[in-house]
Amino acid sequence: CPFVQAASSFLSPSTPWLNHNWHVADSSSLCVTMPDVEAESSTQPEAMEEEEPLFSNLDLFLFTLIAGLIIYWFMSRKKAEPIPEFKKLDQPSPSTRETSFIEKMKKTGRNIVVFYGSQTGTGEEFANRLSKDAQRYGMKGMAADPEEYDMCELSRLAEIDNSLAIFCMATYGEGDPTDNAQDFYDWLQESDGELNGVNYTVFALGNKTYEHYNAMGAYVDKRLEELGAKRVFDLGMGDDDGNLEEDFVTWREQFWPAMCEHFGVEASGEDSSIRQYELKEHNDINMNKVYTGEFGCLKSFETQKPPFDAKNPFLAPVIVNRKLNKAGNRHLMHLEVDITGSKIRYESGDHVAVYPTNDTAIVNKLGQILGVDLDTVISLNNLDEESNKKHPFPCPTTYRTALTHYLDIIHPPRTNVLYELAQYATDPKDQENMRKMASSAPEGKALYQSFVLEDNRNILAILEDLPSLRPPIDHLCELLPRLQARYYSIASSSKVHPNSIHICAVVVEYTTKTGRLTKGVATTWLKNKLVADNGHKSTVPMYIRKSQFRLPFKASNPVIMVGPGTGIAPFMGFIQERGWLKEQGKEVGETVLYFGCRHKNEDYLYQEDLEEAEKTGVITKLNVAFSRDQEQKVYVQHLLRTNKEDLWRQIHTDNAHIYICGDARNMARDVQTAFYEIAEELGGMTRTQATDYIKKLMTKGRYSQDVWS
């Protein structure tokens, strides 16, 4: 043994042992200090030499030490023997996420995969419905988030017989992909691979009031065909400005029969409910393991750790909450939340996302009408063990927490919820009407439109008005969509307010046709986030969503801002930043604001701040339209036409950047028309040329919109 030879050599009589410290270099950093044996042996009388025993104390000590070291070496050698790295790759642990949707489909016998690009959850909801539908049509499907899988494998889909890829793709912002579809979009743009043999279809989700209506869905549909995939059903176009649910149901009812014909299969005719999750009640569980409203890691609200995002929001204390309007029956508010120590960074024009909670009174009523103990601890576990989505919301938790923090109980339920719940109605008429509303038949569409949408019935109102309907609460929790974050344009500049974020919002509150008072989930919740004098601070779970709504890189470029009502929000940040730049001695171009409200003495938001900014020269020109202070209504687009010469000079000669924020359905469209007319009149263009001119400004990033429907 090399080790024994080395040790023997090291421990030879010639070794200088006196005061020698011997360090064994291993992971335990063992340090042994040897005794002064040579000094001790030198004191023995010479007459005793011939009577010494066969083995001296030194021999015994050295023998024991060598044996011990040999044993230690063998033992440490065995422990240190690592598992070769390649074995980890060959045998992944059960917790390792599967990135190959093809292998998962093969392993579980699926032939349909439904990918979704979803920002608010609707695209994901439609994808789940289509994957469940597959079972009714003799096929087997799975919903998939493209962010979780390697989309390069799409070309391998042809390896699976009778396979099909469905894409439910929403469009976000200015024709952009949703966050979870960004990588897939990039791959489509860069890919030069071939998708021969891949069958596909696309359903697009969008809103006609936006400039780039269903741009993402249309692009995916076109690009897949260019790469050689085969479109087996026409592109579906869903319009959220009209009736997105109706658009989807109509497309879906035409799609499945066409697929049955294409693949030569017959529908099973099974109309019964297909459960995706099974209920487990926890009677004896450590409450420290129960979710209480967190979105990612358990106890993340108790121990806050950056970075903060959608799955790990920051609990920001509310430090200001004041009413902005001086009069009127609306409540417009200004909130400020503290982000000190969070390492959160934002830019003017970004959005703050907040997670609201549902009204406690509505939650309690749901529990009462369904006759359940809302504090029962439960888990809803996916029946498909191979699914990446183990639960519909964080589990284990209580029904109360699920209905308060995780589920949308305020919006009118979609038709699939009514269809699934119909089986629990004991009145045959109620059951028939609920199933009818879920169909694409004209009578069913009209009934859903009037009973659910126009009367704005949420799930509680439906249960109250259909007394024969009493579904099990666990199935209801499975069917209701997730409660989504709400996004607000940030009304501050991080240059001026690095440790706080400002929000400007109007509280939504109205009475429905059935006489029920309906309140906006998030705005009502924010309104009640009061700043207490007792030291207790209300908190808001939030994170930042980046935006392309940015001030020009050159501060010397003029900016034209159009933002009536709460559309003023991002421009408060822009104005603060332009003021800060002036203080830094920078050359700042013209800063022109067009703001609109109903009455000067009621809802002139931030009046003092805006007038002071104009007084100090931060705002070059302040234009305010008070729509109802005179007989003839005046809006921001009217003021644009009044100042057309200045506007045309700023845009055409001085390279101004235009920003629009607010209502997409009317205001943004009317403002854009005003710019067309100005280009026609002062630029000597036709309407077609003027339209192209404004669209070129959009392409160059000089005409930006932050609008909502």
Side-chain angles (χ1 to χ4, degrees):
C1 175
F3 186 90
V4 175
Q5 292 174 2
S8 300
S9 173
F10 184 74
L11 297 173
S12 68
S14 62
T15 304
W17 280 103
L18 189 62
N19 295 325
H20 185 86
N21 292 331
W22 183 33
H23 297 273
V24 180
D26 74 350
S27 60
S28 61
S29 300
L30 177 65
C31 177
V32 180
T33 303
M34 299 302 295
D36 193 355
V37 290
E38 284 193 356
E40 184 177 289
S41 62
S42 66
T43 62
Q44 302 297 324
E46 292 180 13
M48 298 288 292
E49 287 180 5
E50 60 267 84
E51 296 181 13
E52 283 183 353
L54 183 62
F55 295 101
S56 68
N57 288 339
L58 177 60
D59 294 330
L60 290 171
F61 177 81
L62 294 176
F63 180 82
T64 304
L65 182 62
I66 291 170
L69 289 170
I70 292 171
I71 293 169
Y72 176 81
W73 181 74
F74 273 104
M75 291 181 67
S76 63
R77 178 175 172 236
K78 187 175 182 180
K79 288 179 183 176
E81 195 172 49
I83 298 172
E85 193 67 27
F86 69 84
K87 286 188 179 180
K88 291 182 182 178
L89 294 175
D90 289 346
Q91 299 173 346
S93 67
S95 61
T96 302
R97 183 165 56 85
E98 175 70 74
T99 59
S100 171
F101 66 89
I102 296 294
E103 295 307 317
K104 178 173 283 191
M105 290 176 72
K106 288 181 176 180
K107 185 163 59 175
T108 57
R110 288 171 165 81
N111 65 323
I112 292 179
V113 57
V114 192
F115 293 105
Y116 58 86
S118 182
Q119 198 72 31
T120 63
T122 307
E124 181 180 1
E125 182 188 334
F126 285 179
N128 283 323
R129 287 162 67 174
L130 289 168
S131 67
K132 286 176 70 174
D133 280 346
Q135 294 185 50
R136 294 191 175 101
Y137 293 91
M139 294 171 257
K140 197 173 181 184
M142 64 177 268
D145 184 343
E147 194 173 38
E148 294 184 354
Y149 294 100
D150 182 0
M151 295 305 290
C152 297
E153 290 206 327
L154 193 58
S155 60
R156 293 183 56 204
L157 191 61
E159 297 173 11
I160 300 172
D161 292 338
N162 289 337
S163 58
L164 171 68
I166 307 173
F167 295 86
C168 292
M169 308 305 295
T171 300
Y172 164 66
E174 297 297 297
D176 302 318
T178 57
D179 292 343
N180 76 309
Q182 182 66 55
D183 291 343
F184 173 51
Y185 176 72
D186 294 341
W187 176 77
L188 283 175
Q189 286 190 308
E190 298 164 5
S191 176
D192 56 0
E194 292 186 355
L195 300 180
N196 295 330
V198 174
N199 297 312
Y200 80 93
T201 190
V202 179
F203 182 81
L205 297 84
N207 190 308
K208 272 186 180 173
T209 60
Y210 290 80
E211 179 73 21
H212 304 280
Y213 172 55
N214 275 333
M216 181 59 183
Y219 174 77
V220 171
D221 180 64
K222 177 187 173 187
R223 185 64 180 139
L224 289 174
E225 184 180 41
E226 290 174 349
L227 292 173
K230 180 182 179 182
R231 183 189 300 107
V232 294
F233 194 70
D234 293 339
L235 169 67
M237 300 286 273
D239 178 20
D240 200 31
D241 184 51
N243 189 330
L244 182 60
E245 175 70 14
E246 183 179 313
D247 294 338
F248 175 70
V249 169
T250 302
W251 178 86
R252 171 174 162 255
E253 289 205 355
Q254 295 171 354
F255 164 73
W256 282 117
M259 288 306 96
C260 288
E261 184 177 348
H262 178 82
F263 291 118
V265 297
E266 292 185 7
S268 64
E270 181 62 59
D271 284 334
S272 63
S273 172
I274 300 173
R275 292 293 298 266
Q276 188 175 352
Y277 300 93
E278 64 177 351
L279 171 68
K280 180 180 180 182
E281 292 188 1
H282 302 279
N283 299 317
D284 185 17
I285 188 171
N286 184 344
M287 293 306 288
N288 287 324
K289 296 181 179 179
V290 177
Y291 283 87
T292 58
E294 309 94 323
F295 297 93
C297 293
L298 191 66
K299 304 296 179 186
S300 61
F301 284 169
E302 294 180 14
T303 307
Q304 293 263 277
K305 293 180 181 179
F308 296 105
D309 53 27
K311 293 183 179 178
N312 181 36
F314 175 64
L315 291 180
V318 177
I319 51 177
V320 173
N321 187 348
R322 60 185 172 89
K323 187 176 181 180
L324 281 173
N325 51 318
K326 303 179 183 70
N329 54 10
R330 296 187 302 162
H331 184 101
L332 294 109
M333 56 187 170
H334 172 88
L335 277 90
E336 297 178 16
V337 295
D338 189 1
I339 57 171
T340 304
S342 66
K343 298 185 179 179
I344 289 175
R345 300 290 179 265
Y346 72 95
E347 298 292 333
S348 300
D350 282 343
H351 300 122
V352 57
V354 302
Y355 281 108
T357 60
N358 287 313
D359 188 340
T360 302
I362 297 176
V363 173
N364 289 336
K365 282 182 183 177
L366 277 170
Q368 183 180 1
I369 205 168
L370 294 175
V372 296
D373 178 3
L374 292 176
D375 296 313
T376 303
V377 180
I378 58 109
S379 288
L380 287 179
N381 301 321
N382 203 320
L383 291 164
D384 177 7
E385 295 181 358
E386 298 296 329
S387 174
N388 285 357
K389 189 175 182 179
K390 302 303 180 187
H391 316 283
F393 43 77
C395 290
T397 190
T398 64
Y399 287 124
R400 186 182 304 280
T401 299
L403 293 170
T404 303
H405 295 278
Y406 300 139
L407 298 173
D408 186 345
I409 60 175
I410 297 302
H411 278 107
R414 297 194 185 277
T415 57
N416 69 300
V417 177
L418 301 180
Y419 181 88
E420 296 274 357
L421 295 181
Q423 62 183 305
Y424 302 112
T426 55
D427 185 333
K429 187 65 176 175
D430 289 345
Q431 194 171 115
E432 180 188 348
N433 285 334
M434 291 177 72
R435 288 213 168 102
K436 188 184 294 180
M437 284 189 280
S439 73
S440 60
E443 186 184 354
K445 288 180 180 179
L447 184 58
Y448 178 74
Q449 181 70 28
S450 61
F451 183 76
V452 178
L453 297 182
E454 291 178 5
D455 290 349
N456 200 43
R457 281 183 170 88
N458 58 30
I459 191 62
L460 176 61
I462 286 173
L463 291 173
E464 287 175 337
D465 293 345
L466 299 179
S468 85
L469 178 63
R470 293 296 179 265
I473 192 170
D474 63 291
H475 198 179
L476 180 64
C477 289
E478 174 181 327
L479 293 170
L480 290 175
R482 285 291 296 269
L483 182 60
Q484 299 294 325
R486 274 30 177 204
Y487 300 96
Y488 297 94
S489 298
I490 296 176
S492 55
S493 166
S494 59
K495 301 288 192 299
V496 181
H497 300 283
N499 293 318
S500 65
I501 288 173
H502 301 183
I503 297 172
C504 172
V506 57
V507 178
V508 177
E509 189 173 307
Y510 58 94
T511 302
T512 68
K513 290 182 178 180
T514 62
R516 293 181 171 94
L517 180 64
T518 296
K519 299 180 180 181
V521 177
T523 53
T524 304
W525 171 76
L526 286 171
K527 177 186 175 184
N528 295 325
K529 292 287 181 180
L530 304 178
V531 182
D533 297 329
N534 59 8
H536 172 75
K537 290 182 178 178
S538 299
T539 57
V540 172
M542 53 74 64
Y543 65 95
I544 299 298
R545 184 173 73 178
K546 294 297 179 183
S547 168
Q548 299 301 315
F549 203 67
R550 290 280 186 267
L551 280 168
F553 180 75
K554 290 183 179 179
S556 57
N557 286 122
V559 297
I560 300 163
M561 304 172 289
V562 184
T566 55
I568 187 69
F571 302 137
M572 295 306 297
F574 282 10
I575 292 164
Q576 290 172 14
E577 189 146 330
R578 300 280 273 192
W580 180 84
L581 289 168
K582 285 176 74 76
E583 289 176 0
Q584 305 303 307
K586 304 286 186 184
E587 180 190 350
V588 178
E590 291 179 81
T591 304
V592 181
L593 175 67
Y594 289 85
F595 173 68
C597 60
R598 296 177 182 180
H599 303 283
K600 182 176 183 179
N601 295 327
E602 283 189 10
D603 52 358
Y604 187 173
L605 308 183
Y606 300 109
Q607 179 179 356
E608 295 78 10
D609 297 322
L610 296 176
E611 291 177 349
E612 178 63 23
E614 185 181 36
K615 184 178 177 182
T616 57
V618 175
I619 294 179
T620 311
K621 188 172 182 183
L622 176 61
N623 307 276
V624 186
F626 304 109
S627 62
R628 303 183 187 183
D629 274 350
Q630 61 285 313
E631 187 176 344
Q632 186 79 20
K633 287 186 178 179
V634 177
Y635 297 114
V636 286
Q637 59 266 28
H638 299 136
L639 298 186
L640 291 172
R641 293 186 181 96
T642 301
N643 298 325
K644 58 189 176 184
E645 286 83 5
D646 276 347
L647 279 170
W648 184 246
R649 170 186 57 80
Q650 290 157 352
I651 297 167
H652 196 63
T653 306
D654 299 340
N655 203 35
H657 287 233
I658 304 166
Y659 301 90
I660 318 294
C661 184
D663 167 50
R665 184 178 285 110
N666 299 308
M667 183 277 298
R669 190 177 291 170
D670 292 341
V671 165
Q672 196 163 318
T673 300
F675 280 114
Y676 292 157
E677 292 172 355
I678 291 169
E680 281 182 79
E681 183 179 344
L682 300 179
M685 303 178 187
T686 64
R687 173 53 66 97
T688 302
Q689 291 171 328
T691 302
D692 289 342
Y693 181 85
I694 297 299
K695 287 190 174 179
K696 282 180 182 176
L697 292 181
M698 292 178 180
T699 304
K700 293 177 181 178
R702 285 182 51 205
Y703 191 111
S704 303
Q705 298 185 90
D706 182 3
V707 294
W708 55 86
S709 176

